[in-house]
Amino acid sequence: MESWMRWLLLCCHFLLFHFSPSHSLCHLHDGFALLQFKNSFTIYTDNPNVVCGGGYAKTTTWKNVTDCCSWPGVTCHPISSHVIGLNLSCSNLQGKIYPNSTLFRISHLQSLNLAFNNFSGSHLSSLFGGFSSLTYLNLANTNFEGEIPPQISYLSKLASLDLSYNYNLKWKEDTLKRLLQNATVLRELILDETNMSSVSTSSLNLSSSLVTLSLQNVGLRGNLTNDILCLPNLQHLHLTQLQVQLPTVSCSSDSLNILSLSSCDFQGTLPPSFSNFTHLTSVEFHDNYFNYSFPSSLLTLPSLAFLSIKYNNLSGEIPNVFPRSNKFEELHLSENNLGGELPSTLSNLQHLIVLDLSYNEFSGQIPPSLFDLTQLHHLDCAYNKLQGPLPNNIVGFQKLTWFSLGHNLLNGTIPSWCLSLPSLVNLYLPENRFTGHISAISSYSIENLILNDNKIQANIPESIFSLVNLTRLDLSANNLSGFFHFHLFSELQNLKYLDLSQNDQLSLNFESSVNYSLYNLKTLALSSMGLTEFPKLLGKVPNLESLDLSNNKLTGRVPNWLFETSSLGLLDLSQNLFTSSFDHISWGQSLSHLDLSFNALTGGIPSSICNVSFMYVLKLSHNKLTGNIPQCLVNSSGLNILDLQMNKLYGTLPNAFSAYCRFRTINLNGNQLEGLLPKSLSICTNLLVLDLGNNEIEDKFPHWLQSLPHLKVLVLRANKLHGPITDFKAENGFPSLIIFDISSNNFSGPIPKVDIFFKSMKNVFQLGYATYLVMYVSNFEGSMSYVDYVIVTTKGNNMTLTKIRDDFVSIDLSKNRFEGEIPNVIGALHALIGLNLSHNRLRGPIPKSMGNLTNLESLDLSSNMLDGEIPTELTNLNFLEVLNLSYNHLVGEIPQGKQFNTFSNDSYKGNSGLCGILLTKKCVKDPEQHLHLHRPSREIRNLDLIGNQWL
Ligand SMILES: *[C@@H]1O[C@H](CO)[C@@H](O)[C@H](O)[C@H]1NC(C)=O
Ligand SMILES: *[C@@H]1O[C@H](CO)[C@@H](O)[C@H](O)[C@H]1NC(C)=O
Ligand SMILES: *[C@@H]1O[C@H](CO)[C@@H](O)[C@H](O)[C@H]1NC(C)=O
Ligand SMILES: *[C@@H]1O[C@H](CO)[C@@H](O)[C@H](O)[C@H]1NC(C)=O
Ligand SMILES: *[C@@H]1O[C@H](CO)[C@@H](O)[C@H](O)[C@H]1NC(C)=O
């Protein structure tokens, strides 16, 4: 009986699905609508979508005569034959979807996926709300724009909604609220990178059916609540780039396994309650402000495989309690302040694939057991303070592809296992204290071998030339020696980057009977190697983009063939002995950075240099160049940095700065330029640094420069500038200036009203000083660091930073004919570090308000006609190291205490009315004071340094 019924059912089923007249013939109007829909787009073939792996146009096989149910991407109902599913994701469709689109006539759709196409310019039509059977809707990455229509809330059967990566799609709070109310079976809600800025967390009344919630970078307002974290079925939660507070979670969850709360500005400690989510497998908290210690509660989560807390403020040690049962595969803790020794129990993490501890304060030796890990692919401990030698023998690391211990204090030789790991692709050990020689290398998969800034000795091993995959080799700044033929590098046909600089015992031979080409080589650095002959590379490096031969002993002419290498963009030949003029050169069109500073070049600057269209940096400083500055240099539009200081250039300053002026730095200090200051400079609104000091310029003060919004440094010292300095705007003149040097001119009249215009000098430590000054400073150094002036990371710049303060704020008005009193308001320039008003004709008292200049380290008021007593307020200047009040008419007792006990007689001489215990002239009531020699706690900063650089 039972089996008979079952047979009947099967039979009916068979009849229904295989002989039904409607089977596999799609409804005519569905097919028609689909074809029309298809025809409303063009298929783009360029710019294939990466996510889609290129994508393929499913619709190309859709033909009128065939059955639409058989078309790719189309699903029909088995009984009614209505089209119920349409999946055209990644189909390279381009065009608009208007309300009259025939898509909306396919009314039985249950599933619609149009993700990864380009409907740019389309609004999401209210007609989407008409798909009343829809359970799955995916419009991710389709460039829909505008407001999401309220009708979307009619889709009450939705189980999955993905509108992510439509940056211009905007939610109204009400629309989302009503959708969430109506869609009671919603399991998946993915709205990343849509605009939810007008939605607040409190209106997110989420359905308890939710399994996946992803709201990354949506601009949501309000605080994260337990309502979200405690959803009973939630498995995946991704909330990034919200500005929310983290609640103390008062629930536990058996379902949550992926939790991503990155870039959320969370502060304070990580709430321990997260350990209540016992099924977590992946936790991302990176880029927050978690501080205090490492959240050890996370280490005991039994299923956790992925943990990232990188880029927070964690400090203290990592507790040494990693249990053996742990399932960790990835542990990312970089960019915190974690310190102490690396925990030895890390080696319990037998499944570990990625370990990133870089940019912390870890010290001590690396625990030897760490080298036993067998599954590790990626180990990064760079930028810590790890010490000691690496072990000689290890058993693990056979799968390691990325090994980075750079920027630590490691010493000893680089063990041979390190260079024979079978899977190794990247080896970064720069800036340590490794010594000894490099052993034979047999890691043939290696692509990046970076060993610069160590103390490695002896020859480069032959085996290096058999590493056929090598693309980047940096052995610079070691003690390598020996002699070899440069053409050996041509064995390395993938080599793009080669730096052998600063190995002055290493000799290269460029003579070669071998016909070779380093076809892929783009960067070659052979700086500071004692080269006396220009490397014979003609035709050998056809694609070279950057060549650094600075600080060698190259003489004679710069060879012209260099510029025929059409790819060459950056050329640094600074600090050599090139002598002859360079007007024979036919400049390469791709040249963008040319540095010939610190040579002995003679002759004029050829105007042919202006023909280079994209010249960005031109440094010819410290040579013996004569003649005029070619006018075309300043009306060429691209130049950012022009450094011609310390030559013998004469004539007037070019005066045709164009409206396209991009100059950030102009340095013409130390020439014989004359005439007027070019007014057209005021067009150059990007200007940060203008140094025209030590010339013969004869003009009034260039008050028209005061509108330059970014000008940080203005140096006009030692010219023939004259007249009073007036004409300042009341408020915003020179809004960014931090170094103002007009000394040794003939300016007269009262002291300029520095207090009202140098706004930037009033606030200490303004953001941005560091950046700009680094750039300024690098003008004076031989480094080629202009490539990116904001993010400065090269060695050269780090060095210059240590030489000069990045918050240096100074005014130098000395050696002019300023007269009258020092204005009391000068005390408002709180950021001042150096103030020099010496050698003028200033009268009256030293203002008491100067005691407010608490950052001042150098104060020179000497050789004026100041009178009255030295205000005791000056003893507040705790950082003052240099004080010169000599040759005035000061009287009375020299204040005592603090810094004043450290200045010598010389600070006061030439003031016959002064008395004090340091002077031969004691005051009448000598109180027999005890001297407290008090030095500032800040490091000594030498003010002369910056001055010398200008000279
Ligand atoms: C489909 O084909 C029929 C005849 O074969 C034709 O009349 C009709 O216009 C075609 N429709 C489309 C949309 O091409
Ligand atoms: C659909 O509407 C758009 C915009 O309103 C219009 O440009 C287009 O011609 C219409 N298409 C059809 C087939 O009517
Ligand atoms: C909820 O969905 C139903 C059915 O689609 C619809 O009629 C109703 O208007 C929706 N309610 C809201 C608040 O959108
Ligand atoms: C978020 O929480 C913090 C502290 O609990 C509170 O000060 C703040 O006002 C809250 N913000 C909003 C938008 O509710
Ligand atoms: C874990 O969750 C329970 C509720 O299930 C709660 O009472 C407890 O306080 C939570 N634990 C922590 C550490 O927050």
Side-chain angles (χ1 to χ4, degrees):
M1 185 68 167
E2 262 190 354
S3 68
W4 176 81
M5 269 181 69
R6 192 157 351 132
W7 184 85
L8 189 68
L9 277 171
L10 266 172
C11 188
C12 287
H13 189 262
F14 187 76
L15 284 171
L16 267 171
F17 287 89
H18 297 269
F19 294 99
S20 134
S22 62
H23 160 251
S24 86
L25 280 180
C26 84
H27 283 259
L28 221 64
H29 88 276
D30 279 355
F32 180 75
L34 284 171
L35 274 183
Q36 292 274 81
F37 182 60
K38 162 197 165 171
N39 290 334
S40 66
F41 301 109
T42 52
I43 309 285
Y44 62 90
T45 46
D46 57 326
N47 196 7
N49 198 310
V50 184
V51 182
C52 300
Y56 92 105
K58 289 175 193 154
T59 55
T60 46
T61 56
W62 292 10
K63 293 275 158 50
N64 187 353
V65 286
T66 53
D67 172 17
C68 79
C69 292
S70 66
W71 293 348
V74 178
T75 312
C76 292
H77 189 276
I79 299 171
S80 73
S81 285
H82 284 297
V83 173
I84 54 165
L86 182 58
N87 180 355
L88 294 179
S89 63
C90 294
S91 293
N92 296 355
L93 302 177
Q94 178 157 28
K96 293 197 169 82
I97 298 183
Y98 292 116
N100 61 14
S101 168
T102 53
L103 173 69
F104 301 111
R105 297 203 209 144
I106 310 168
S107 53
H108 294 86
L109 278 183
Q110 294 171 14
S111 165
L112 175 61
N113 185 349
L114 300 176
F116 296 98
N117 288 291
N118 187 2
F119 308 131
S120 177
S122 308
H123 285 244
L124 211 53
S125 164
S126 60
L127 295 175
F128 276 99
F131 292 118
S132 56
S133 313
L134 214 55
T135 59
Y136 176 91
L137 177 59
N138 188 346
L139 300 176
N141 217 321
T142 44
N143 289 330
F144 272 109
E145 59 188 54
E147 206 156 87
I148 292 170
Q151 290 79 357
I152 197 126
S153 65
Y154 297 173
L155 303 177
S156 56
K157 293 184 179 155
L158 273 186
S160 170
L161 176 63
D162 186 347
L163 299 178
S164 59
Y165 295 91
N166 290 298
Y167 308 94
N168 297 315
L169 210 47
K170 194 168 166 42
W171 281 100
K172 270 174 80 174
E173 181 158 74
D174 222 34
T175 304
L176 184 61
K177 213 166 171 176
R178 282 196 284 127
L179 172 68
L180 293 175
Q181 248 165 38
N182 228 3
T184 49
V185 290
L186 198 61
R187 292 167 54 82
E188 192 174 48
L189 182 60
I190 303 175
L191 304 175
D192 306 339
E193 309 274 350
T194 58
N195 183 345
M196 296 177 72
S197 58
S198 53
V199 178
S200 92
T201 43
S202 56
S203 67
L204 288 180
N205 198 353
L206 296 160
S207 156
S208 59
S209 57
L210 263 190
V211 173
T212 298
L213 176 62
S214 193
L215 305 176
Q216 312 201 53
N217 198 15
V218 292
L220 195 65
R221 290 177 296 113
N223 288 331
L224 196 56
T225 62
N226 274 323
D227 297 350
I228 297 177
L229 285 164
C230 299
L231 287 167
N233 293 300
L234 199 63
Q235 291 176 17
H236 304 165
L237 178 59
H238 303 268
L239 302 173
T240 65
Q241 285 180 279
L242 311 181
Q243 295 198 334
V244 296
Q245 299 275 327
L246 193 61
T248 351
V249 193
S250 55
C251 59
S252 56
S253 166
D254 292 341
S255 53
L256 194 64
N257 57 58
I258 297 180
L259 176 63
S260 165
L261 301 174
S262 297
S263 309
C264 287
D265 290 355
F266 292 137
Q267 302 184 1
T269 40
L270 190 68
S273 47
F274 275 90
S275 55
N276 247 0
F277 297 125
T278 49
H279 283 67
L280 281 173
T281 58
S282 166
V283 172
E284 275 184 81
F285 285 129
H286 63 244
D287 190 14
N288 285 298
Y289 295 102
F290 287 128
N291 49 16
Y292 307 114
S293 54
F294 187 86
S296 42
S297 57
L298 290 174
L299 296 186
T300 51
L301 286 171
S303 310
L304 198 62
F306 180 101
L307 175 61
S308 170
I309 321 182
K310 66 184 176 193
Y311 202 27
N312 275 278
N313 285 333
L314 297 175
S315 56
E317 300 188 10
I318 305 180
N320 195 4
V321 292
F322 289 91
R324 263 198 181 274
S325 58
N326 230 307
K327 300 221 170 64
F328 275 98
E329 290 175 7
E330 297 198 23
L331 183 55
H332 300 263
L333 300 174
S334 60
E335 294 180 80
N336 281 287
N337 298 316
L338 293 164
E341 300 210 348
L342 295 181
S344 58
T345 52
L346 273 174
S347 59
N348 285 341
L349 306 177
Q350 289 299 321
H351 306 281
L352 207 58
I353 296 171
V354 177
L355 177 59
D356 186 354
L357 305 173
S358 59
Y359 294 95
N360 277 290
E361 304 280 326
F362 292 114
S363 56
Q365 243 176 299
I366 302 174
S369 59
L370 193 69
F371 298 89
D372 297 343
L373 288 171
T374 53
Q375 301 303 310
L376 212 56
H377 282 68
H378 182 118
L379 174 61
D380 196 340
C381 295
Y383 293 95
N384 279 289
K385 293 170 180 161
L386 298 168
Q387 294 163 5
L390 298 177
N392 281 327
N393 296 299
I394 66 164
V395 295
F397 281 16
Q398 296 302 297
K399 293 183 177 169
L400 203 66
T401 61
W402 178 289
F403 188 28
S404 171
L405 300 176
H407 309 268
N408 278 291
L409 306 168
L410 299 167
N411 60 16
T413 50
I414 296 172
S416 57
W417 59 259
C418 214
L419 299 162
S420 55
L421 293 172
S423 312
L424 200 62
V425 177
N426 299 293
L427 179 61
Y428 296 103
L429 302 175
E431 299 205 30
N432 277 290
R433 295 168 178 179
F434 289 115
T435 52
H437 68 286
I438 309 176
S439 58
I441 308 175
S442 56
S443 301
Y444 294 109
S445 44
I446 203 159
E447 291 173 14
N448 292 300
L449 179 55
I450 311 294
L451 304 176
N452 59 284
D453 290 87
N454 279 290
K455 293 170 184 163
I456 302 169
Q457 297 142 9
N459 296 334
I460 296 178
E462 286 277 317
S463 51
I464 254 183
F465 302 108
S466 51
L467 304 175
V468 289
N469 293 307
L470 205 61
T471 54
R472 205 180 156 93
L473 176 61
D474 192 343
L475 301 174
S476 63
N478 277 294
N479 295 331
L480 294 169
S481 56
F483 171 93
F484 66 96
H485 285 279
F486 188 76
H487 74 79
L488 285 173
F489 283 109
S490 66
E491 306 284 322
L492 308 175
Q493 275 302 306
N494 289 307
L495 199 64
K496 286 187 178 152
Y497 180 103
L498 175 61
D499 192 347
L500 301 175
S501 302
Q502 297 180 64
N503 283 293
D504 54 7
Q505 301 301 310
L506 194 63
S507 325
L508 297 179
N509 187 340
F510 292 93
E511 303 284 354
S512 168
S513 51
V514 187
N515 199 4
Y516 73 93
S517 164
L518 281 156
Y519 189 79
N520 284 309
L521 195 66
K522 295 205 155 52
T523 300
L524 177 61
L526 304 172
S527 157
S528 310
M529 293 187 71
L531 298 178
T532 52
E533 222 183 307
F534 208 95
K536 295 191 173 58
L537 292 170
L538 173 58
K540 312 290 192 203
V541 283
N543 295 307
L544 199 66
E545 291 173 3
S546 165
L547 178 62
D548 180 0
L549 297 173
S550 62
N551 195 20
N552 281 296
K553 293 169 184 155
L554 303 173
T555 55
R557 286 159 87 102
V558 177
N560 212 4
W561 63 259
L562 256 185
F563 302 99
E564 285 153 20
T565 308
S566 60
S567 50
L568 195 68
L570 192 151
L571 178 60
D572 189 348
L573 301 176
S574 63
Q575 301 180 73
N576 276 289
L577 305 166
F578 289 112
T579 47
S580 76
S581 65
F582 55 118
D583 42 15
H584 62 288
I585 288 170
S586 46
W587 305 99
Q589 273 306 307
S590 51
L591 202 60
S592 62
H593 295 59
L594 176 62
D595 190 347
L596 276 163
S597 58
F598 295 92
N599 276 286
L601 295 173
T602 55
I605 301 174
S607 51
S608 61
I609 209 165
C610 305
N611 298 338
V612 184
S613 327
F614 300 107
M615 186 78 87
Y616 179 77
V617 174
L618 179 60
K619 294 179 66 180
L620 302 173
S621 70
H622 300 86
N623 278 291
K624 296 171 184 166
L625 296 170
T626 54
N628 292 306
I629 298 174
Q631 184 68 239
C632 63
L633 267 187
V634 309
N635 54 25
S636 89
S637 54
L639 215 51
N640 278 236
I641 315 277
L642 176 62
D643 186 358
L644 305 177
Q645 65 175 309
M646 303 306 288
N647 276 291
K648 294 172 177 169
L649 300 166
Y650 50 77
T652 55
L653 289 162
N655 188 13
F657 289 88
S658 77
Y660 306 106
C661 176
R662 299 247 186 89
F663 282 110
R664 291 200 292 248
T665 295
I666 297 177
N667 195 328
L668 306 176
N669 193 314
N671 282 288
Q672 294 146 25
L673 300 163
E674 55 192 24
L676 298 174
L677 289 162
K679 279 213 171 74
S680 58
L681 252 180
S682 58
I683 298 174
C684 299
T685 50
N686 294 331
L687 204 60
L688 301 175
V689 175
L690 179 62
D691 187 345
L692 303 175
N694 296 296
N695 279 291
E696 316 270 317
I697 301 166
E698 213 169 334
D699 201 345
K700 291 186 178 149
F701 182 78
H703 58 88
W704 34 266
L705 285 177
Q706 68 188 305
S707 58
L708 291 178
H710 306 298
L711 191 68
K712 300 265 165 189
V713 177
L714 177 60
V715 179
L716 300 171
R717 71 185 294 152
N719 276 289
K720 296 175 180 167
L721 301 168
H722 53 82
I725 301 184
T726 48
D727 283 335
F728 284 120
K729 285 183 200 162
E731 287 290 336
N732 281 321
F734 293 110
S736 304
L737 207 62
I738 55 170
I739 294 181
F740 182 56
D741 181 355
I742 56 169
S743 68
S744 305
N745 279 290
N746 285 320
F747 289 117
S748 56
I751 285 197
K753 294 184 179 157
V754 284
D755 54 298
I756 51 171
F757 64 95
F758 291 163
K759 203 170 64 180
S760 51
M761 295 199 183
K762 293 184 188 168
N763 303 315
V764 186
F765 292 106
Q766 281 198 345
L767 229 65
Y769 284 6
T771 309
Y772 293 120
L773 271 175
V774 167
M775 172 144 152
Y776 176 54
V777 168
S778 58
N779 277 329
F780 302 109
E781 306 290 321
S783 67
M784 302 193 295
S785 46
Y786 298 119
V787 184
D788 192 334
Y789 79 102
V790 179
I791 304 160
V792 186
T793 51
T794 64
K795 289 173 277 177
N797 265 303
N798 290 340
M799 276 161 52
T800 56
L801 250 186
T802 59
K803 282 190 191 168
I804 291 195
R805 300 281 299 275
D806 57 359
D807 58 346
F808 193 90
V809 181
S810 84
I811 294 181
D812 191 343
L813 307 181
S814 65
K815 299 189 181 145
N816 279 291
R817 291 187 285 137
F818 289 116
E819 55 199 29
E821 297 197 1
I822 302 175
N824 202 35
V825 278
I826 203 154
L829 302 181
H830 295 299
L832 265 188
I833 285 180
L835 177 62
N836 191 345
L837 304 177
S838 69
H839 297 271
N840 279 294
R841 298 170 182 179
L842 302 172
R843 295 171 182 278
I846 298 174
K848 289 187 167 53
S849 68
M850 275 194 173
N852 297 334
L853 300 177
T854 47
N855 284 285
L856 212 56
E857 294 177 13
S858 166
L859 175 62
D860 191 347
L861 304 176
S862 66
S863 300
N864 279 293
M865 292 175 270
L866 299 170
D867 54 31
E869 297 193 3
I870 301 173
T872 50
E873 284 80 1
L874 291 193
T875 57
N876 296 338
L877 306 183
N878 285 334
F879 298 114
L880 202 61
E881 286 169 27
V882 178
L883 175 69
N884 194 346
L885 303 176
S886 63
Y887 301 103
N888 278 293
H889 305 316
L890 299 169
V891 295
E893 188 175 358
I894 296 171
Q896 287 172 33
K898 298 185 185 167
Q899 293 304 97
F900 268 73
N901 295 342
T902 68
F903 304 127
S904 73
N905 239 328
D906 290 347
S907 296
Y908 312 108
K909 69 183 172 199
N911 291 283
S912 51
L914 279 182
C915 64
I917 58 173
L918 283 170
L919 301 186
T920 39
K921 180 173 169 191
K922 300 281 183 274
C923 299
V924 186
K925 39 154 199 151
D926 189 352
E928 278 203 31
Q929 286 259 357
H930 190 69
L931 290 185
H932 298 281
L933 280 172
H934 170 87
R935 295 301 304 176
S937 54
R938 279 201 260 172
E939 67 191 272
I940 307 280
R941 279 118 181 189
N942 188 348
L943 293 174
D944 278 346
L945 246 176
I946 200 163
N948 288 339
Q949 307 253 11
W950 286 334
L951 291 170

